[in-house]
Amino acid sequence: MSSIEEIKSRLDNHIGEAVTVVSQAGRKKFTERSGVLRSTFPSLFVVELDEDTQFKQASYSYADILTKNVQVDFAE
């Protein structure tokens, strides 16, 4: 992906689909979360999480995808 607009456009096409998000949680540490892509906004997107935690949603910025701090994989 080469721009934030392209990233948002790609995610817009997958709203309502299952996703896995891998995010950097520090040096050599990664967090993997699964859920459903619920909505996109001008600077971030929201994933409704499948996990039973106190947080039901997580939001990520398109800039994090652009800088490779977050990776989004769509279910096949």
Side-chain angles (χ1 to χ4, degrees):
M1 293 284 164
S2 60
S3 74
I4 289 176
E5 293 83 20
E6 288 177 8
I7 294 168
K8 182 182 183 316
S9 175
R10 182 170 180 226
L11 290 175
D12 283 341
N13 294 330
H14 292 281
I15 290 177
E17 293 183 18
V19 296
T20 300
V21 180
V22 179
S23 60
Q24 207 167 11
R27 259 181 83 178
K28 299 182 182 181
K29 295 180 184 176
F30 295 91
T31 303
E32 184 174 318
R33 292 177 152 179
S34 297
V36 176
L37 179 62
R38 279 296 166 214
S39 54
T40 60
F41 296 96
S43 61
L44 58 92
F45 62 98
V46 177
V47 175
E48 185 178 308
L49 302 174
D50 291 340
E51 303 145 12
D52 288 333
T53 61
Q54 85 183 63
F55 302 109
K56 302 206 184 303
Q57 296 180 351
S59 61
Y60 302 94
S61 75
Y62 306 121
D64 287 335
I65 295 174
L66 192 61
T67 59
K68 298 185 171 64
N69 289 327
V70 170
Q71 178 183 345
V72 177
D73 297 317
F74 301 102
E76 295 290 324

